[in-house]
Amino acid sequence: MEEKLFPEEEAAPAAKDGKQSRKHGKHRKLKIVLGIIAGAVAALLIVTNVLAMMDRANGTAVEAAAVKKGDITSTLTANGTLASTNTKAYYSPVTASINECNVKEGMFVAAGTKVIGFDTSALEQDNQKAQLTKDASLNGFQDTLNKSDEAASKKADADSQAASCQSQIDADSQQINSLTQAISSRTSLLSSGSALSDPSQDPQIAAWQNQLSTLQSEVSTLQAKKSEAEATSSSMESIILSGAARAQISDNSSLASLEASAAQSQLDKASAGIVTEFDGVITQMNVSNGTAVAQGTALFSISSLNEACVEVSLTKANFADVKEGQTAEIIFNDHTYQGTVTEVGRAASSGTQSAQSLLNSAQTTSSTASSSSSNILATVKITNPDQNLCLGLDAKVVIKTDSRTNTLTVPRKAVSLSADGTFCYIVENGVVVRKTVATGISSDDETEITSGLSEGDQVITTLPDSVSEGSKVYVSSDVSQ
């Protein structure tokens, strides 16, 4: 019995065949498009190769590079000597022997380290002697002052007493004169009058004579007291200090005090020893244990690593390129540091210089030279020093002297110099063309072009001997553009 199909079942295979047919059609179209594209690329390559072969047949291959815009930095490179901007020399503050010296040249010491100690035994004796001398001088001075003041007081009293006696003597002498005259007058009167009388029997004359005798005795006593007071006053004069003598004794006492103070200061300094004021490296040590030193003897020097620098010699050719404030890079023993030019000398020093000469000055090439011309010292301070630095050794310094941004640059070897000026060779329409150019700064690899070329120009970097201006050339495909 034949099986019948439903209408839906008959329609399903037909729909499926239609979808597969459309899918195959799309694949065929894609293959055709891809084939056309591949053919076009192949044709372009063939044409390019043919043109290149034609160029090669008519010219010489040259290496060239495109003029491009970019940033450029010029540098100066030199070898310098590691040093420090803060080096302090220490001198002996006393005359003594050293009994403590535990550091050597090249050692790092921290701030506050006692580097030198002194034997203080002799200074202790000197100080004790000076203190005793001072005390004796002060005591003697005071005793002399006291005696002088006492003598002055006694002299003043004696002078006063002598003056008082003299005053009383003068008064008594007047009375004596008055009485003498009175006795004389009365005696004359009694001897020559109508009533003659014996003066010696006169009661009045007798009374006056008694007064006269008393006064004369008193005057005699006063004169003796006056003489004694004058003798006392005279004896005191040798004890009383004059103004000059008083000043001299005072100066001697002050001198003794100063000497005692100096002796104490010397002892204090020796007891303290020599202590470093900052972290650093001992760059010079002139003494050792047992060394006897005089005051002012140079003991040692210390240099601060925190203020390390590189001292670089500049020549006349590149002196003008280096300015204070420029940044630099310092390379020492595989360590790289940053720095700043802090000082450029203003006086040249003569002497032979054997070192890598400064590089990359404008329009110069690097070289190593020995020059006997005058040099100028520049200081580059290291801004990030550490204890890996070793003062006194050489370090490489790269100073950034100038920079430009978004400027035209070419490879440095593309720039040539002749008596007519600076120029470059470029490839223009397959022909070598010489272009006069003006240059700016240069780096190790590139030179700035300020005029004469345009961005995109092909500058020849290596000109074959067989090629000159006007030669037909083509740019080698092996060099990067």
Side-chain angles (χ1 to χ4, degrees), residues 46-125:
I46 291 172
V47 171
T48 301
N49 290 332
V50 170
L51 292 175
M53 291 175 64
M54 292 175 64
D55 287 339
R56 286 174 173 78
N58 296 322
T60 303
V62 294
E63 296 180 358
V67 178
K68 61 182 180 180
K69 281 191 174 183
D71 301 338
I72 184 172
T73 298
S74 63
T75 60
L76 232 58
T77 302
N79 280 344
T81 302
L82 284 168
S84 176
T85 58
N86 184 16
T87 296
K88 180 177 176 63
Y90 287 85
Y91 300 87
S92 177
V94 298
T95 297
S97 294
I98 294 174
N99 62 4
E100 182 180 351
C101 181
N102 301 319
V103 299
K104 298 179 180 179
E105 287 186 10
M107 288 182 60
F108 176 84
V109 293
T113 300
K114 185 176 181 180
V115 176
I116 298 292
F118 297 98
D119 180 0
T120 62
S121 56
L123 292 172
E124 288 173 355
Q125 293 179 359

Side-chain angles (χ1 to χ4, degrees), residues 140-207:
F141 174 51
Q142 190 60 49
D143 182 63
T144 302
L145 286 180
N146 292 338
K147 289 180 179 180
S148 176
D149 292 342
E150 183 180 356
S153 177
K154 288 182 179 181
K155 183 179 184 305
D157 292 343
D159 291 341
S160 177
Q161 185 178 7
S164 177
C165 290
Q166 183 62 52
S167 177
Q168 187 64 41
I169 289 171
D170 292 342
D172 289 349
S173 296
Q174 288 180 0
Q175 292 186 36
I176 289 172
N177 289 335
S178 297
L179 289 171
T180 301
Q181 290 177 2
I183 291 171
S184 176
S185 297
R186 188 168 179 80
T187 299
S188 297
L189 178 63
L190 292 176
S191 299
S192 60
S194 55
L196 295 175
S197 175
D198 185 2
S200 62
Q201 299 299 318
D202 184 60
Q204 183 61 54
I205 291 176

Side-chain angles (χ1 to χ4, degrees), residues 240-271:
I240 298 173
L241 294 174
S242 65
R246 184 183 291 267
Q248 182 181 12
I249 295 176
S250 177
D251 290 343
N252 289 336
S253 179
S254 297
L255 180 60
S257 296
L258 288 176
E259 290 176 347
S261 178
Q264 183 64 56
S265 177
Q266 292 280 288
L267 179 58
D268 292 342
K269 291 176 181 177
S271 299

